[in-house]
Amino acid sequence: QGGGGTACEYRIRDAYSKYVYWRGIASVPGDSRWGMNLSGVDTRLMTLKATGALALSPVDPTAQLDVRAQGALSTDVVFRLRNSADTDDIVTVTGTNVMAIHNGTAPAATIAAA
């Protein structure tokens, strides 16, 4: 299915007309978007650009890997690395610039802000 800026689209739909999708973007060949449609509203969840930049958010990536918090002052976890048993966090980063290395060793020096 195409139209507008969509070159092609694949959908997996459930019995309630809700679906997840992959879209190839016509205006930028090689770019792809993944998302879902609930109650008629499209929500982009991820974008992979032809350059290899990947966004795990509803916006276009501005870096090779671009992960964003829910909001500007979000205290939610933006990034989390868990063990393979899914029983403990190894590293977490929050939307308020707090990075925690769980059960690890803190750096011996302060890293200057960029």
Side-chain angles (χ1 to χ4, degrees):
Q1 172 165 323
T6 303
C8 61
E9 178 175 284
Y10 296 96
R11 295 181 184 184
I12 300 173
R13 185 182 304 268
D14 68 9
Y16 305 101
S17 297
K18 297 174 181 158
Y19 60 87
V20 294
Y21 64 82
W22 167 87
R23 288 185 180 140
I25 308 304
S27 59
V28 188
D31 283 12
S32 300
R33 294 181 180 153
W34 289 266
M36 64 181 163
N37 182 294
L38 302 174
S39 303
V41 177
D42 271 359
T43 302
R44 183 180 5 160
L45 302 174
M46 185 169 63
T47 300
L48 177 60
K49 299 188 78 59
T51 62
L54 173 67
L56 303 175
S57 67
V59 298
D60 283 333
T62 57
Q64 199 68 18
L65 176 61
D66 194 342
V67 182
R68 297 184 188 216
Q70 293 284 333
L73 300 175
S74 177
T75 58
D76 294 342
V77 171
V78 176
F79 179 81
R80 178 174 67 175
L81 175 62
R82 289 187 62 81
N83 67 7
S84 61
D86 199 24
T87 58
D88 195 15
D89 291 341
I90 298 167
V91 175
T92 56
V93 180
T94 68
T96 54
N97 300 326
V98 174
M99 180 177 187
I101 302 171
H102 302 267
N103 300 318
T105 303
T110 300
I111 301 171

